[in-house]
Amino acid sequence: MKQGQPQTIYLKDYCAPAYRVDAVSLVFELGEESTQVTCVANYRRNAGVATDAPLELYGERLELLALRVNGRTLTADDYALSDTDLRIFGMSALATVEIVTRIYPQKNTSLEGLYQSSGNFCTQCEAQGFRKITYYPDRPDVMSVFTTQILADKAKYPVLLSNGNLTGSGDLPDGRHWARWEDPFHKPAYLFALVAGNLQHVEDHYTTLSGRDVTLRIYTEAHNIDKCDHAMQSLKRAMQWDEQRFGLEYDLDIYMVVAVDDFNMGAMENKGLNVFNSKLVFASPETATDGDYIAIESVIGHEYFHNWTGNRVTCRDWFQLSLKEGLTVFRDQEFTSDLHSRAVKRIEDVRKLRTHQFAEDASPMAHPIRPAAYMEINNFYTMTVYEKGSEVVRMYQTLLGRDGFRNGMDLYFQRHDGQAVTTEDFLAAMADANGADLAQFQRWYDQAGTPEVAVRMDYDAAAKTCTLHVTQNCPATPEAALKQPFLIPLAVGLLGSEGQDLVGTAVLKLTESAQQFSFNDIPEMPVPSLLRGFSAPVRLSYPYTSAELIFLMKHDSDAFNRWDAGQRLAMETILAMLAAQERGEACGLEHDFISAYQAVLTDANLDPALRAEAMTLPSEADIAEVARPCDPEAIHAIRELIYSTLANALRIDLETLYDALNTDGEYTVDALSIGRRSLKNVCLDYLGRVKDEGIHALCHQQYQEAGNMTDALAALAVLNRIQCPERDAALQHFHDRWQHDALVMDKWFAVQAVSPLPETLAEIQTLMQHPLFDLRNPNKVRALIGSFAMRNPLHFHAQDGSGYVFLADNVLQLDAMNPQIASRMVRPLMSWRHYEPVRSGLMKAQLERIQAQQGLSGDVFEIVSKSLT
Ligand code: B3K
Ligand code: ZN
């Protein structure tokens, strides 16, 4: 744990490094108590740097055993050592620095640096984990070629891996063995990786466009080896897609993926040696849901795509994180869209952005996609940097067209391959390749907040002219109260009364705070379809009537906007019902609302996946974002009322559709089959709201007969909301059937954590004592504590404050072992100002309690202190 108050680091203070590294060679002697690391690096002073500039190396929690420069052991005057760095004085222009350190991976519960998971060694170095391995210029603008030699007990750790190509291996007389890996590509230390353990692998091959053979391997513990096929096929699809869409080929002879159980996030793009959370590798129809299959393919793609966007061209400093993450998320979204349903993918991504990123932008942690300051960089792997970052990249494509975007990408790689660059370099490549002036676009990188775009329409029947009056405004966020107007691509269409496009999609460029756009030869008063495909990460308002929204739900040629019209209608209905309830008035659903939902449900021409999306109401979290001050109990009650009203009114349609879709057949993961399963399970989800014991039996039957995890878990989730014998039986059965499989058991923990039943928190507390629960394992923490705090607003926000106390207790415990996870878990308390006074006060009290904790990590300190300012 860091002592004292953490420092703020500013982008404006960036200085280029004084020394670069020509080559670095590492030797790891892995032991059971400790590990010895020898790092020999050749430093070269950069041009223009003063001859007396010290060499600055970072290091944390290291025992320094030896320190030599050009073969000479340094004396106390030659260097200065602190808890966080090592400065070496009297450096010559060229110097070989040899450093020997001792570390304790077996005791490393932060899961950053070198640590053990299930008895195997692995590393996580991004962002600043390499400094927990050795003293080094651990900053992304110092790139070097790495040679890694690993020595370890052969029986315990038969597999020894690092980045690049294997260039030597052999046995040692004492029962140990060794392997040497050389990575010919220059890389920053954050892309370093080492794995040593008792692992099996599956192997495949890929021939690149230029005809090179690449060996592909996925490493795992033996008992999961049969669940790697989907990840392997996904990898091959990703390699092919990047060649076709962006002309980018893989560059080493081998690509390895290692699955580990204890991992702070999803996966890591280390050069040639990805380390993955096992959750994002293993899949079989019995154990993984459709969502898991798609997520695995997407994350395998994401990490693979980083090889160019992140590794070959990397970030100059950590403020530039979105340069690689926003761009790589955009690339993985396009990959999924090209392989599956583009409309469904867009809906899912926008849903995620609106629920989580908009909330972040409205919170004390709001930051631009390129932040200007941070205390702990790990806190900035956020929805803003990733998902809004991806939307910003998508806007280049919307503004420049697909070909223009591709030309920009080509120029970016042509200019910057092998370099550590900034988001300005990316913008310049896009502008220069297209002869475009994108100066105003820079504001998306510098200003936080979700812009609000308001549209009003005039129609002049005599002149046949339609005019859209558009304003934009961005709320204040911590970095700036006043915002300059953004360059916003606003994709619009105009619909005639028959539902036809009078004007097909046109991209309007908003540049001012208020502008007008006119359309001529419009024969009748149109209904505008605005922000088609969600062409910019903004909140859009237009005074639609319910009838217009229902019309758009039926007719908009833009599938995304058809869905969005339904979401708007639902949200407005919910807000009106909440207001009526508050006034003490009775509230119910209009007949038109019910028939609009019936029309969607029964529209056989509509893709089942889109029907499923359209039938899904905005989440409680989405509603909480707009219903202020927020009362989670009232939100839950109204949303449930709508669900049950629709379920009762449409019961026959729901049952008919359920039966029609509930057909046996081989489980396949294609867009149509996934869509059919999701629509069927949406029907079941609705039917679960009908008070009828027959429905409990139906759910139980689906649970028992399901041949795949998607259907089993969907049925279990419905039962989980109902106090009935079938619920207990199914949960017990699930437990007994899957207790040997940690990943499946995460689903069992998570489903119970989101139950609306009254005893939920008490049950969670019991589950924390379950032999399979482990606070040191991030997947378990996310499944039980994370699901409760982030996906169970009803109980997390219990008015007695019990949910907040539970979360704070766990944050404090977690902080002592894994600050990154603690700092993720504390975030639901961040939005305390949005709640009604009782809850708001109780949330704030828990933040204050956490803040008062002695020795709090910098990670949690940053979130808590920003929340309370
Ligand atoms: N680059 C990693 C994330 C590292 C997180 C460090 N706290 C995974 C990814 O985005 O691909
Ligand atoms: Zn990434």
Side-chain angles (χ1 to χ4, degrees), residues 126 267 269 302-303 306 309 324-326 328-329 332 381 386:
E126 187 178 357
E269 69 264 25
H302 180 99
E303 307 310 334
H306 267 314
T309 50
K324 75 177 178 80
E325 294 305 347
T328 306
V329 171
D332 84 53
Y381 286 74
Y386 275 65

Side-chain angles (χ1 to χ4, degrees), residues 403-616:
D403 291 344
F405 182 77
R406 171 66 196 269
N407 293 338
M409 289 288 278
D410 290 351
L411 184 60
Y412 175 66
F413 294 122
Q414 203 182 309
R415 283 180 176 172
H416 301 299
D417 187 12
Q419 297 177 6
V421 304
T422 63
T423 56
E424 279 88 349
D425 293 316
F426 186 78
L427 186 146
M430 285 291 154
D432 295 350
N434 291 280
D437 177 2
L438 292 174
Q440 190 180 0
F441 198 77
Q442 176 63 31
R443 291 178 187 159
W444 284 109
Y445 291 95
D446 298 330
Q447 301 187 141
T450 308
E452 293 164 355
V453 174
V455 183
R456 194 168 57 72
M457 188 183 79
D458 274 342
Y459 179 66
D460 180 338
K464 295 194 172 22
T465 307
C466 169
T467 304
L468 297 177
H469 303 265
V470 187
T471 61
Q472 60 162 304
N473 170 53
C474 183
T477 48
E479 98 293 349
L482 285 177
K483 311 286 169 115
Q484 301 298 311
F486 292 86
L487 168 54
I488 298 176
L490 180 68
V492 304
L494 298 177
L495 275 74
S497 51
E498 302 295 312
Q500 78 282 25
D501 266 341
L502 296 173
V503 171
T505 306
V507 179
L508 311 178
K509 291 185 184 61
L510 270 53
T511 52
E512 313 291 327
S513 357
Q515 266 168 293
Q516 295 185 8
F517 300 90
S518 289
F519 299 85
N520 298 323
D521 300 320
I522 307 296
E524 56 174 313
M525 165 109 123
V527 176
S529 165
L530 303 165
L531 202 69
R532 279 188 160 171
F534 196 71
S535 60
V538 302
R539 289 182 203 269
L540 182 119
S541 64
Y542 180 86
Y544 285 117
T545 61
S546 298
E548 286 173 328
L549 289 173
I550 291 171
F551 175 82
L552 288 171
M553 280 172 81
K554 280 205 185 98
H555 300 295
D556 200 324
S557 60
D558 184 79
F560 174 84
N561 267 15
R562 232 176 12 246
W563 168 79
D564 204 27
Q567 295 295 299
R568 271 171 203 277
L569 180 69
M571 188 63 97
E572 279 168 25
T573 306
I574 292 165
L575 293 178
M577 288 169 79
L578 275 170
Q581 198 188 44
E582 193 152 318
R583 291 193 301 269
E585 292 167 15
C587 50
L589 281 183
E590 302 275 342
H591 174 71
D592 287 354
F593 183 95
I594 297 176
S595 6
Y597 271 76
Q598 183 173 34
V600 169
L601 184 68
T602 55
D603 182 351
N605 294 321
L606 192 58
D607 173 7
L610 289 174
R611 276 196 271 169
E613 293 290 355
M615 292 301 296
T616 304

Side-chain angles (χ1 to χ4, degrees), residues 275-323:
V275 177
F276 265 65
N277 187 327
S278 53
K279 176 181 169 55
L280 288 160
V281 177
F282 304 142
S284 71
E286 299 74 34
T287 58
T289 62
D290 293 344
D292 294 329
Y293 271 87
I294 299 289
I296 289 168
E297 183 183 68
S298 143
V299 179
I300 287 274
H302 180 99
E303 307 310 334
Y304 174 74
F305 303 143
H306 267 314
N307 192 50
W308 278 95
T309 50
N311 302 5
R312 293 283 291 247
V313 183
T314 195
C315 299
R316 187 193 72 172
D317 53 72
W318 290 117
F319 297 100
Q320 317 299 328
L321 184 57
S322 200
L323 173 78

Side-chain angles (χ1 to χ4, degrees), residues 68-102:
R68 285 181 279 271
V69 175
N70 295 330
R72 181 178 73 87
T73 296
L74 297 193
T75 61
D77 292 346
D78 299 325
Y79 67 95
L81 184 62
S82 82
D83 280 353
T84 54
D85 48 36
L86 168 64
R87 291 154 66 89
I88 301 178
F89 309 114
M91 286 283 291
S92 45
L94 284 174
T96 300
V97 177
E98 183 182 349
I99 301 175
V100 184
T101 46
R102 185 184 291 129

Side-chain angles (χ1 to χ4, degrees), residues 723-738:
Q723 194 77 70
C724 61
E726 289 87 348
R727 173 186 194 258
D728 301 339
L731 282 170
Q732 186 62 48
H733 177 271
F734 194 100
H735 173 275
D736 297 347
R737 173 157 185 211
W738 295 114

